[in-house]
Amino acid sequence: METLSENKKAALLSVLLLLVGLFVWEMSIPAQKTVEALTEYERLTGTGQPKAGVPPPSQVVAKAWEQLSNPFYDAGPNDKGIGIQIGYSIYRVLVGYLLAALIAIPLGFLIGMSRVAHKALNPFIQVLRPISPLAWMPLALFVIQDSEASAIFVIFICSIWPMLINTAFGVAGVREDWVNVARTHELGPLKTAFTVILPAAAPTIVTGMRISIGIAWLVIVAAEMLVGGTGIGYYVWNEWNNLDLTSVIFSILMIGVVGMLLDAALGLLQRRVAYVE
Amino acid sequence: MASSFLSIERLTQRYPDGKGGEFTVFENASFGIEKGEFVCILGHSGCGKSTIMNILAGLSDPTSGVIKMDGQAISGPSLDRGVVFQNYSLLPWLTTLKNVTFGVAARFPQWTKQQVTDHSIAFLEKVGLTGDAIYRKPSQLSGGMRQRVSIARAFANEPKLLLLDEPFGALDALTRGTIQDELIKVWSGTDQTVFMITHDIDEAILLADRILLMTNGPNARVAESVEITLPRPRTRTTIVEHPNYYAIRNHLVQFLGERSVLLAGESVGDETHRPETVRIDKTEGAADAEPLLRAVPK
Ligand SMILES: Nc1ncnc2c1ncn2[C@@H]1O[C@H](COP(=O)(O)OP(=O)(O)OP(=O)(O)O)[C@@H](O)[C@H]1O
Ligand SMILES: [Mg+2]
C-alpha cells in the first residue's frame, strides 16, 4: 500500500465503498417470489402479489444496460428512450441558460462599471433573486401559454442571478492598475472591456456560470415534473406513476451523471480563463 | 520657460482632509522639462510625487493648473506619454510577449502582426529578455524580469515622454543596478524625455540630467532643480571619482535631510513657484567661471 500514489489509493477506496454499498443494498432487499412460485392461496388472496418494493442494484444495472443499449428509441409519447428524455432536458437547460448569460453578462458589466447602475438595480435584484424559480411557473404558464417555453423561462430566471451577481462583482473588482494600463494605451471603452476587463473578471464570471448551470440542472427536473410531456424530470415522474422504481433509480443516477458532466464542462472553461497574479 | 517641451504651469492639487476641510498637496507648482532630458524627482514620502506623475500621465486631473506638452495642453492619458508603474502592472493572463505586443498594436494600428511581434521582441531583447522567458506568464517571472517587461512595454511604444514611478523600488540592489544600466542603454538611443520618481539619491545621480527636489508636504514645493554635471556615459564606478560627485551628493543629502523640512511651506497663496536652479561644478575652469551655487532668475 505504501507504494501506491494518493490517487490510486483514493480510487481503490472509492471502488471498495461502491462495492460495499451495492452489496449492503442488494442484501437488504428481501427476495420476492416470482408469480409462478406463489401458492394458490396466496394467488387467490393477493397477499403474495409482488409489491412495488425498492429494487436491488442488480435490477437497476440490468435496467441501465437495457436503456443505454438503445437510448434513442421513440415508441409514442409515454415511451421514449432515456437519451431522448435527457436530450430534451439538456436542450431546455441550454436555451434558458444561454439566454440568461446573454443578458446577465452585459448587464453585470454595466452594474460593475457604474455605481449608479448598481445602486439603481440592486433593490430589484435583491427582491427577485430569493424567489424560488418554481414559484414563477404558474405565472409563466399563464402568460406564455406554452409549457415548453415556460420551462425554459424558469431555467432562465433561476440561472440569471449567479451570473449577474458574479459578473458585476468581478468587473467592479478589476484592479485599477490594469484599467490604467488600458487608459494609457488609449483603448476605447469597447476595446478596454474586451481586452482588459473581460479577461480580468473572467474567473469570477465563469464561477458564476458554473453555479448557474448547477442550479439550472437542479431546477429542470422539478420544472419538467410540473409541465410534463418530455424530459428527464417528466420521465422520473412517469415511472413513479408506473411504480417502476427500477427506472426511477436509474434515471436519478442519470440525472447525477449529466449534472456532473455539465459541471465538468464549466470547470474546464474555468481552468482555461484562470490566471495567477 | 514657456518654450519647454513639457511645461507644468501653476499646478495645484487639493484633497479633502476627511474632517470636512481640505489640504493642499502642492500649490501653484511650475517647472519645465526639455526635450530629451532625463529628470528625476526626489522627495520624502507623501510629498506628492506620485500625484504629479498621475497628473502628467493624464490618469487624474489636478485641482487647477495646466500641463503643456509641445505647446499643447494635455487632457487625459495618451500614447505619447508612456507609464511604468511601480507595481509593473502587467496583465497576468497574457504572456510576456503579448504584454508588449498589446501596447505596440495599440500604438501602431497600421502595422502587421509580424511587424508588431518583431518590434516587441527587439525591445524585450534590449532589456535582456530573450528565449522562452518571453512566452511565459508574468507570474512565472522574477520581480526584476517583470519590471524589465514593463520597461520594454513602455519604450516599445516610443512615447515622447516616459513616466516612471519608483520603477526599481521593489528590487534588490544588484538587479536594480543591471536594470538601471539597461534603462540608460535603451533611453540613450532615443530622443525620449524621461521623468522618473525615485527615493534613491545614487540612482538619481547616476541616471538624471537634472534632479528636482521637493520639500515635505503638505503644501509641498518643487524647491530646487539640481543639474547633474557629470559627463555621460556614466558608470557606477567612474562617477564616484568625478570631482562633482560628492559635492552634488552632499547637496542632495543635505536638502533631503534638513532643508526639505525647513522649507516645508505654509500656503504660498497666489505666488507661482519655480524651482531654483542649482549648478554645482568643481571641475577646473568651471569653478572660477561659475559660482558654486547659482540661483538662476526666471
Ligand atoms: N485620492 C486621494 N485622496 C486624498 N488624499 C490623497 C489621494 N491621493 C494622494 N493623497 C495624499 O496626497 C499626498 C501625496 O501623495 P503621493 O502619493 O503623491 O505621495 P508620494 O510623494 O508619491 O509618496 P511616496 O513617495 O510614498 O510614494 C499624501 O499626503 C496622500 O495622502
Ligand atoms: Mg508615490
Side-chain angles (χ1 to χ4, degrees):
Chain A
M1 279 304 264
E2 305 287 282
T3 53
L4 287 181
S5 77
E6 201 174 276
N7 283 343
K8 281 197 187 127
K9 279 187 206 166
L12 218 63
L13 198 60
S14 290
V15 171
L16 200 72
L17 281 173
L18 179 69
L19 290 177
V20 169
L22 290 176
F23 181 76
V24 171
W25 178 7
E26 183 88 39
M27 285 294 117
S28 61
I29 288 164
Q32 280 170 0
K33 293 177 185 170
T34 55
V35 181
E36 299 84 61
L38 295 175
T39 61
E40 188 164 357
Y41 173 76
E42 281 170 332
R43 244 178 286 164
L44 284 172
T45 56
T47 45
Q49 207 53 252
K51 272 190 286 184
V54 175
S58 51
Q59 267 185 41
V60 176
V61 171
K63 183 80 187 177
W65 180 255
E66 176 200 325
Q67 284 283 341
L68 291 176
S69 51
N70 184 15
F72 297 110
Y73 76 89
D74 188 351
N78 273 337
D79 192 8
K80 293 190 200 321
I82 187 85
I84 293 187
Q85 304 289 22
I86 287 179
Y88 274 115
S89 298
I90 292 180
Y91 160 75
R92 287 176 191 138
V93 162
L94 288 186
V95 173
Y97 176 80
L98 291 177
L99 283 174
L102 226 57
I103 291 182
I105 293 172
L107 197 63
F109 251 79
L110 183 72
I111 295 174
M113 304 258 254
S114 146
R115 292 173 60 83
V116 176
H118 174 86
K119 287 189 174 156
L121 293 172
N122 201 35
F124 297 103
I125 297 173
Q126 295 309 332
V127 170
L128 293 175
R129 191 173 59 119
I131 299 173
S132 162
L134 294 172
W136 292 97
M137 189 57 104
L139 190 64
L141 284 169
F142 178 76
V143 173
I144 308 176
Q145 299 271 324
D146 176 69
S147 61
E148 174 85 25
S150 298
I152 290 175
F153 172 77
V154 167
I155 294 304
F156 167 83
I157 204 80
C158 77
S159 48
I160 198 166
W161 309 116
M163 288 195 266
L164 183 66
I165 289 166
N166 267 46
T167 305
F169 182 72
V171 168
V174 172
R175 284 202 6 213
E176 204 183 340
D177 300 336
W178 300 336
V179 180
N180 282 343
V181 169
R183 292 178 63 199
T184 53
H185 286 89
E186 287 187 51
L187 301 188
L190 218 60
K191 194 102 195 276
T192 305
F194 278 105
T195 56
V196 176
I197 296 175
L198 188 61
T204 321
I205 297 176
V206 175
T207 303
M209 293 174 74
R210 197 169 172 184
I211 297 171
S212 280
I213 198 85
I215 294 177
W217 190 245
L218 290 179
V219 167
I220 192 64
V221 176
E224 285 169 346
M225 284 180 176
L226 284 175
V227 298
T230 48
I232 189 75
Y234 167 73
Y235 180 83
V236 176
W237 201 249
N238 196 33
E239 297 304 328
W240 158 241
N241 285 333
N242 296 340
L243 285 183
D244 184 354
L245 278 176
T246 316
S247 293
V248 169
I249 293 175
F250 164 65
S251 43
I252 288 175
L253 290 176
M254 288 309 291
I255 292 171
V257 169
V258 174
M260 184 185 77
L261 292 178
L262 288 175
D263 184 66
L266 267 296
L268 214 67
L269 182 63
Q270 201 168 30
R271 237 164 297 139
R272 288 203 47 159
V273 298
Y275 58 82
V276 191
E277 271 185 43
Chain B
M1 274 315 272
S3 58
S4 288
F5 162 68
L6 185 75
S7 74
I8 286 89
E9 292 165 18
R10 298 176 68 82
L11 202 64
T12 301
Q13 180 68 57
R14 291 183 230 278
Y15 285 119
D17 63 1
K19 290 176 289 194
E22 53 179 19
F23 77 98
T24 306
V25 184
F26 45 79
E27 197 168 29
N28 291 326
S30 304
F31 57 93
I33 295 178
E34 303 308 320
K35 191 155 187 64
E37 240 186 336
F38 197 125
V39 175
C40 282
I41 188 159
L42 274 174
H44 283 275
S45 183
C47 66
K49 303 179 297 290
S50 297
T51 307
I52 293 184
M53 170 138 306
N54 284 334
I55 295 169
L56 288 178
L59 292 171
S60 63
D61 291 321
T63 310
S64 67
V66 280
I67 293 170
K68 287 186 180 157
M69 192 161 99
D70 277 337
Q72 291 273 322
I74 65 160
S75 73
S78 152
L79 282 162
D80 281 338
R81 282 167 274 129
V83 188
V84 175
F85 299 92
Q86 172 163 15
N87 46 17
Y88 326 137
S89 288
L90 300 174
L91 304 178
W93 55 88
L94 297 178
T95 61
T96 295
L97 178 61
K98 288 263 172 64
N99 261 288
V100 181
T101 56
F102 169 89
V104 175
R107 176 65 162 170
F108 306 103
Q110 71 283 6
W111 282 10
T112 65
K113 237 180 144 141
Q114 190 60 45
Q115 276 175 301
V116 169
T117 308
D118 292 346
H119 184 81
S120 304
I121 289 177
F123 272 86
L124 282 166
E125 260 168 29
K126 284 191 197 186
V127 294
L129 281 173
T130 49
D132 68 326
I134 66 171
Y135 301 105
R136 276 190 254 153
K137 300 267 169 76
S139 59
Q140 297 158 319
L141 302 179
S142 68
M145 288 161 100
R146 288 185 214 182
Q147 193 53 285
R148 288 186 167 100
V149 181
S150 179
I151 290 171
R153 177 175 67 187
F155 271 99
N157 272 2
E158 301 177 353
K160 291 183 191 162
L161 174 66
L162 205 76
L163 303 162
L164 302 106
D165 191 348
E166 290 187 49
F168 312 128
L171 304 179
D172 64 275
L174 279 176
T175 315
R176 215 172 227 264
T178 334
I179 305 185
Q180 283 163 357
D181 294 343
E182 277 154 5
L183 176 63
I184 280 298
K185 210 174 69 198
V186 181
W187 167 74
S188 49
T190 67
D191 62 347
Q192 274 154 334
T193 310
V194 178
F195 183 74
M196 173 168 147
I197 297 177
T198 173
H199 269 134
D200 182 338
I201 292 179
D202 294 302
E203 176 174 279
I205 297 176
L206 176 69
L207 299 175
D209 294 316
R210 202 147 60 82
I211 297 178
L212 297 175
L213 293 171
M214 278 183 90
T215 63
N216 288 4
N219 298 309
R221 299 196 283 127
V222 182
E224 287 186 7
S225 156
V226 181
E227 287 180 24
I228 307 303
T229 45
L230 296 170
R232 291 187 192 269
R234 302 173 190 159
T235 65
R236 238 170 303 281
T237 43
T238 54
I239 53 170
V240 293
E241 287 159 11
H242 196 277
N244 289 346
Y245 179 79
Y246 281 103
I248 293 172
R249 194 173 191 285
N250 289 342
H251 181 84
L252 299 176
V253 169
Q254 202 251 348
F255 180 93
L256 291 174
E258 287 173 23
R259 306 217 341 270
S260 64
V261 188
L262 290 177
L263 292 172
E266 318 78 60
S267 171
V268 289
D270 214 27
E271 232 176 292
T272 303
H273 267 292
R274 283 193 189 282
E276 194 179 313
T277 298
V278 175
R279 185 184 164 84
I280 299 171
D281 197 344
K282 297 196 142 188
T283 49
E284 280 163 50
D288 306 326
E290 306 219 26
L292 199 65
L293 204 80
R294 182 178 58 115
V296 177
K298 299 290 168 202

